[in-house]
Amino acid sequence: MPEIETDSGAFAPPGGAPPAKIPKAVIKRLSRYSRVLQELELKGVEKASSRDLAEALGVNSAQVRKDLTYFGQFGIPGVGYYVRELRAQIKRILRTDREVRVALVGVGNLGSALMSYGGFQRQNFRIVAAFDSAPAKIGRMQNGAPVLDIARLQEELRSRAVDIVILATPGEAAQIVCDLTVKAGIKAILNFVPTRLTAPPDVAVHDVDLSIEMESLAFYLR
Amino acid sequence: MPEIETDSGAFAPPGGAPPAKIPKAVIKRLSRYSRVLQELELKGVEKASSRDLAEALGVNSAQVRKDLTYFGQFGIPGVGYYVRELRAQIKRILRTDREVRVALVGVGNLGSALMSYGGFQRQNFRIVAAFDSAPAKIGRMQNGAPVLDIARLQEELRSRAVDIVILATPGEAAQIVCDLTVKAGIKAILNFVPTRLTAPPDVAVHDVDLSIEMESLAFYLR
DNA sequence: TAGATTGTTAATCGATTAACAATC
DNA sequence: TAGATTGTTAATCGATTAACAATC
């Protein structure tokens, strides 16, 4: 039984054991394992060793094993991991074994883009609503989701049982929307606005900053 | 004079000194410093201490100072950093003190989205061309850039003096396009395709995996 | 059984941070 | 000068990896 710490970003194992602190990087890799396992399953592969998985991801095999043991023992010495089973376990751990309901705030260029992007739907994520403040946009349907008045954000997030909010507002609005979102009980935010957001420690905020990605790439131009 | 190592991801300081190895994370932060300094400059602030910058970014002040000394000495003890000057230096280091020419490959949902996204233009990046294989798309203009035939990728990248390529193709095409891009002499790729790309060590590939960001967020739903 | 691979500990590596002499 | 803040070293922290006994 591993040492237990209580901290934000905690994970409660299925057995009901106390939560252990899991590095964010481990969770990201878990999600990558999930994708590789999906591909293997589609190919009809039944077993995979930590070495196989490591190669597919470009990481060290010890890391694969260590990552997985944060959550339990899923492998069989001398054999490896059963692809189907491990995949199911990881999906359960990540909570993507069911539909995840997503709302998007800010139906501008990037927001619209993200709504039409098919990549989310594919993985059991469903954008159930969008929000904006522009009267011209409110009331329309976009990619199967209604565009609602930002003024009704809190009640709509609640009544539509939204799990995750995508922020794609102008910079000035981001913190305000973030606060409202948190008040509505949302625990996970995907932030595309290049603003540092302040949120309580029990709310997970993932920042995706396209400008930073681009600008830091320029450094590598010889 | 700091210790010098030669390695990929190298940076040649202005003086012409040998390149030192710079962690990717430092470059990302440099880009963030740049943005904060821009805001300060707009506000008319003349000086900022490492503490000021650290607070704006939510990092440690020693880290700010250390990051900067990878590239030189820009501060004045007892005073801090001159905002305008430091910003100019960082832009020079990042090579964003001039227009950076970008091409996008794969004009699907996400690709179109990225083209209409204003965030890139703002920072001196200009999408000068897009590429696709669909005859219906080829020949059109989209957001001010021509959609060209993917078959002409190599020569067009060269003749249009493209610096950075954005990959937004289907998964199957990603590695093929990556190889062509590398052959055309491109040194920096922003990859939105959820495929692990293989590229020579002197080519910088930044992966932005929206599905992974989303999926790993689901973990934090209590 | 012999061979393979896990789970886990201990060693290594690298990145962050504290501390402080140098200096404006 | 006194006060403030840099640049830089050494200490700390955390994450990655090597190694190997346990086990299928």
Side-chain angles (χ1 to χ4, degrees), chain A residues 9-12 22-24 27-32 34-35 39 54-59 71 91 93-96 98 100 102 109-110 112-114 116-120 122-123 125 127 163-166 185 187-190 192-196 202 204-222, chain B residues 9-11 22-25 27-32 34-35 39 54-59 71 91 93-96 98 100 102 109-110 112-114 116-120 122-123 125 127 163-166 185 187-190 192-196 202 204-222:
Chain A
F11 169 71
I22 318 278
K24 258 193 183 185
I27 306 299
K28 290 251 169 85
R29 283 197 296 270
L30 222 53
S31 182
R32 295 205 174 87
S34 172
R35 181 180 293 160
E39 282 162 20
E55 264 173 29
L57 263 87
V59 301
F71 306 98
K91 295 208 90 173
I93 293 164
L94 288 175
R95 286 174 167 54
T96 49
R98 53 172 188 90
V100 177
V102 178
N109 274 335
L110 185 62
S112 305
L114 292 169
S116 62
Y117 173 55
F120 294 142
R122 226 173 294 140
Q123 289 291 145
F125 292 91
I127 299 184
D163 298 303
I164 296 179
V165 164
I166 300 178
K187 297 292 178 209
I189 297 173
L190 188 56
F192 285 89
V193 188
T195 299
R196 196 164 68 96
D202 69 323
V205 180
H206 281 201
D207 296 306
V208 180
D209 195 323
L210 300 179
S211 296
I212 296 284
E213 292 293 338
M214 194 68 137
E215 192 170 7
S216 57
L217 255 184
F219 175 79
Y220 298 97
L221 302 177
R222 189 138 27 270
Chain B
F11 168 71
I22 317 278
K24 258 192 182 185
I27 305 299
K28 289 250 168 88
R29 283 197 296 271
L30 222 53
S31 181
R32 296 205 173 86
S34 173
R35 182 181 292 160
E39 282 162 21
E55 265 173 30
L57 262 87
V59 301
F71 305 99
K91 295 208 90 173
I93 293 165
L94 288 174
R95 288 178 164 54
T96 50
R98 53 170 189 92
V100 178
V102 178
N109 275 333
L110 186 62
S112 305
L114 291 169
S116 62
Y117 173 55
F120 293 143
R122 226 173 294 139
Q123 289 292 145
F125 292 91
I127 299 185
D163 299 302
I164 297 179
V165 164
I166 300 178
K187 296 292 178 210
I189 296 173
L190 188 55
F192 285 89
V193 188
T195 299
R196 196 164 68 94
D202 69 323
V205 180
H206 281 200
D207 296 306
V208 179
D209 195 322
L210 299 179
S211 296
I212 295 285
E213 291 292 339
M214 193 67 138
E215 193 170 6
S216 58
L217 255 184
F219 175 78
Y220 299 97
L221 302 177
R222 190 143 18 267

Side-chain angles (χ1 to χ4, degrees), chain A residues 4-185:
Chain A
I4 296 301
E5 274 181 53
T6 300
D7 200 15
S8 71
F11 169 71
K21 206 207 160 219
I22 318 278
K24 258 193 183 185
V26 173
I27 306 299
K28 290 251 169 85
R29 283 197 296 270
L30 222 53
S31 182
R32 295 205 174 87
Y33 300 148
S34 172
R35 181 180 293 160
V36 168
L37 288 164
Q38 182 178 22
E39 282 162 20
L40 289 174
E41 199 176 330
L42 274 167
K43 279 188 204 157
V45 178
E46 295 199 342
K47 291 174 288 192
S49 67
S50 58
R51 203 161 175 277
D52 296 334
L53 296 176
E55 264 173 29
L57 263 87
V59 301
N60 183 289
S61 71
Q63 182 157 74
V64 173
R65 297 197 295 280
K66 189 151 209 282
D67 285 350
L68 293 175
T69 51
Y70 275 103
F71 306 98
Q73 304 192 162
F74 306 112
I76 297 157
V79 178
Y81 302 87
Y82 285 105
V83 168
R84 228 165 105 77
E85 192 196 305
L86 182 57
R87 185 180 169 221
Q89 292 282 356
I90 291 179
K91 295 208 90 173
R92 184 184 52 75
I93 293 164
L94 288 175
R95 286 174 167 54
T96 49
D97 53 352
R98 53 172 188 90
E99 183 186 81
V100 177
R101 298 171 67 83
V102 178
L104 182 145
V105 185
V107 189
N109 274 335
L110 185 62
S112 305
L114 292 169
M115 293 190 73
S116 62
Y117 173 55
F120 294 142
Q121 274 97 313
R122 226 173 294 140
Q123 289 291 145
N124 247 2
F125 292 91
R126 198 174 130 210
I127 299 184
V128 296
F131 295 88
D132 206 291
S133 61
K137 290 173 186 168
I138 295 166
R140 298 187 169 213
M141 292 294 284
Q142 190 155 338
N143 293 95
V147 180
L148 307 174
D149 189 340
I150 184 74
R152 299 181 42 74
L153 183 65
Q154 283 203 64
E155 56 257 48
E156 295 285 0
L157 289 179
R158 285 214 171 89
S159 66
R160 290 170 195 260
V162 168
D163 298 303
I164 296 179
V165 164
I166 300 178
L167 278 188
T169 67
E172 318 82 65
Q175 185 62 58
I176 299 162
V177 171
C178 176
D179 292 344
L180 286 170
T181 298
V182 168
K183 264 196 216 153

